[in-house]
Amino acid sequence: MDKRALIVTRPFRSPHHTTSHIGLIGGGTAPRPGEISLAHRGVLFLDEFPEFPRHVLEALRQPVEDGIITISRSAGRVNFPAKFMLVAAQNPCPCGFFGNPTKNCKCSLNQIIRYQRRISGPMLDRIDIHLDVPAVKVEKLTYQSHPESPLGDLRPVEGSHQIRKRVQKARDIQTKRFKNSKITSNSEMGNKEIKEFCVLDDNSVKLLQLAVVKMNLSARSYNRTIKLARTIADLEGQNKINSTHIAQALQYRPRTDNL
């Protein structure tokens, strides 16, 4: 544990899935901050997401939305900060091979459904980006970066240092955008900021209206999609959000037709 009085780097917390409610959220007889507060302004990584107890995950819903956690005890209440980036990872099924093109899944349909339903809809609704990550091919694992390598087509198009520059440029845009407010990033925008900084053209509005019907978007999902589209536009250096940005943001919404 970092015991310095002043933290100068963003924290990264990765608690085990056996972590208790108090350990993750905070609390105790003399209330102490949990992992979500220790990850304030940093990253909270939850591996094996469905393995966390259901009641522990449900307790994440309010701080993910509000950026603060309130612990109430008989002696009084304590507010702990909890503005963190939630990153979660899970297997598609208990054995991990559901949908794998080369390995057979050994799980029954009921096992797969029960496993995937361990994460509630409201919790999934609060996660902006959902991605299916395929297994890494052995060619990529053994690939050596050499100009004469026969696997030259596997070389990355964009390195991590280049990606970092793009992300930092987008963050600089947001810092300038919100310089006169108390927020620092697109994800913290409320309805007022969305109306001011996320003006949509007619095509974008029509696409969102269609998505509300076809994808059953909630009001929360609707606003989160717009904020994500704003970030996608920032990464491209675009001042205005267009329908392409909205379409890409919608692709990251959770899918309910996996089975």
Side-chain angles (χ1 to χ4, degrees):
M1 180 181 294
D2 193 337
K3 296 183 179 181
R4 292 177 296 176
L6 182 64
I7 298 175
V8 295
T9 58
R10 295 185 185 275
F12 179 88
R13 307 292 298 189
S14 180
H16 193 262
H17 60 78
T18 57
T19 301
S20 66
H21 181 282
I22 291 177
L24 188 66
I25 306 302
T29 304
R32 301 183 60 182
E35 291 290 337
I36 63 172
S37 295
L38 297 176
H40 181 60
R41 292 299 183 185
V43 174
L44 178 68
F45 177 56
L46 301 183
D47 197 12
E48 303 294 345
F49 201 38
E51 301 297 336
F52 283 82
R54 179 70 175 258
H55 71 282
V56 173
L57 294 183
E58 292 302 295
L60 281 174
R61 288 162 53 178
Q62 179 263 327
V64 165
E65 193 77 17
D66 300 335
I68 192 171
I69 181 67
T70 301
I71 307 296
S72 298
R73 294 293 182 266
S74 58
R77 301 196 313 171
V78 179
N79 293 327
F80 291 121
K83 288 187 177 180
F84 55 89
M85 178 185 292
L86 174 63
V87 180
Q90 70 174 75
N91 290 317
C93 67
C95 79
F97 296 124
F98 176 62
N100 191 301
T102 60
K103 295 184 179 181
N104 293 326
C105 175
K106 299 179 181 179
C107 305
S108 68
L109 183 60
N110 286 335
Q111 286 177 318
I112 297 173
I113 292 174
R114 284 199 302 270
Y115 183 80
Q116 294 189 354
R117 286 182 178 175
R118 289 181 183 178
I119 313 300
S120 69
M123 186 70 246
L124 291 174
D125 201 37
R126 286 168 167 80
I127 299 177
D128 294 336
I129 299 176
H130 295 249
L131 289 174
D132 293 329
V133 182
V136 180
K137 295 181 179 180
V138 65
E139 291 87 355
K140 291 187 177 181
L141 290 174
T142 58
Y143 170 62
Q144 299 294 323
S145 180
H146 191 277
E148 297 180 0
S149 171
L151 300 176
D153 58 323
L154 293 178
R155 294 175 187 173
V157 176
E158 187 178 24
S160 58
H161 64 286
Q162 294 173 308
I163 296 174
R164 186 183 188 280
K165 288 181 179 179
R166 283 200 299 114
V167 172
Q168 186 58 57
K169 186 176 181 180
R171 291 303 299 261
D172 292 341
I173 291 173
Q174 294 172 43
T175 299
K176 183 178 180 180
R177 175 180 296 140
F178 303 122
K179 64 180 180 180
N180 296 323
S181 64
K182 295 181 179 180
I183 64 178
T184 59
S185 64
N186 294 334
S187 63
E188 299 176 48
M189 287 191 293
N191 291 332
K192 178 182 176 181
E193 290 80 15
I194 291 175
K195 291 179 180 179
E196 181 178 356
F197 300 113
C198 302
V199 179
L200 304 178
D201 57 26
D202 292 340
N203 290 334
S204 297
V205 172
K206 290 178 181 178
L207 184 57
L208 274 173
Q209 290 174 340
L210 181 61
V212 169
V213 176
K214 297 293 185 180
M215 301 174 65
N216 296 319
L217 294 185
S218 64
R220 180 185 296 109
S221 298
Y222 183 90
N223 285 334
R224 284 181 174 272
T225 299
I226 295 175
K227 289 190 285 186
L228 182 55
R230 176 67 273 173
T231 299
I232 293 171
D234 290 344
L235 287 168
E236 294 183 358
Q238 300 292 325
N239 292 326
K240 295 182 179 180
I241 300 173
N242 59 44
S243 58
T244 303
H245 303 138
I246 295 292
Q248 184 175 347
L250 287 170
Q251 290 181 350
Y252 296 133
R253 296 307 306 167
R255 290 179 293 178
T256 58
D257 58 348
N258 290 336
L259 299 175

